[in-house]
Amino acid sequence: CASIGFASAQQKTITENILIYTPWVDFSAPMTYSYTVSDDGKRIKNGPISISGRQNWKYDNSSITGTYTLKASAKNGHLNGLMTVTARYQGVTKKWSGNKIENLSYSFRGNFLNGIPNGNFTSNATGHESVNVTYKNGILVGAYKVGNTRRALSKKKKMTEEKIQRINVLYHKA
């Protein structure tokens, strides 16, 4: 009787510094994620992804300090499941507001299924309107809200390949 062996990719975890772009300040932070290596040597994200960092930024008599956290999960190289982002800052903007201390925050929450938006997405940022939308398999469904205004769709809007690609580019930078 002969047995057949199967090689399986070994899952690894790595932490590396990446550049994070936020509405107020860009900074470098450690990202930890799990991955397997494909036959052609590329890392395929598989499992939890986290980014957590503190930043201190100073420029032209202004300063911002704060925290940034991202939590997500990947399956076979695609975002899969809940993704959350939270950023909180305190800024002293001497040049523009005469030493005014501002508390700034940003939050994002959305669900993905095999890299495609699927479920409720919310986004809130200080000084920007909040957004609340629902996707089903990449298609915007039902009424959606921007700020305090509820809007209805005249027809279903599908996530275009270009938009999905932009999400994937941001994800792969992370």
Side-chain angles (χ1 to χ4, degrees), residues 26-171:
D26 301 338
F27 66 98
S28 180
M31 176 178 72
T32 301
Y33 62 94
S34 299
Y35 68 95
T36 54
V37 178
S38 68
D39 291 339
D40 60 359
K42 293 182 181 177
R43 291 182 187 164
I44 300 172
K45 291 181 176 96
N46 235 349
I49 302 166
S50 66
I51 302 171
S52 185
R54 297 188 63 75
Q55 59 272 18
N56 295 301
W57 176 83
K58 293 184 179 192
Y59 177 76
D60 199 18
N61 294 324
S62 297
S63 66
I64 294 177
T65 60
T67 60
Y68 178 94
T69 305
L70 176 145
K71 293 183 180 184
S73 186
K75 182 177 177 183
N76 299 322
H78 300 285
L79 285 172
N80 206 57
L82 179 64
M83 176 182 191
T84 61
V85 177
T86 305
R88 289 187 171 73
Y89 307 97
Q90 186 173 64
V92 179
T93 53
K94 295 178 181 178
K95 182 176 180 181
W96 300 287
S97 62
N99 292 332
K100 179 180 176 187
I101 295 175
E102 298 179 274
N103 291 309
L104 309 170
S105 66
Y106 171 76
S107 66
F108 168 85
R109 183 178 182 89
N111 287 285
F112 292 85
L113 181 62
N114 298 320
I116 297 174
N118 193 56
N120 189 254
F121 280 69
T122 59
S123 178
N124 297 289
T126 304
H128 300 274
E129 289 188 320
S130 62
V131 176
N132 188 336
V133 299
T134 302
Y135 289 96
K136 184 172 182 179
N137 296 318
I139 298 172
L140 186 61
V141 294
Y144 61 97
K145 231 176 143 175
V146 176
N148 293 323
T149 306
R150 188 172 171 83
R151 300 173 186 190
L153 293 175
S154 57
K155 61 180 182 175
K156 290 185 178 180
K157 292 187 178 180
K158 184 172 173 52
M159 281 290 282
T160 64
E161 283 298 319
E162 179 183 328
K163 288 179 183 176
I164 292 171
Q165 184 62 30
R166 280 192 300 212
I167 289 169
N168 284 326
V169 165
L170 290 173
Y171 159 69

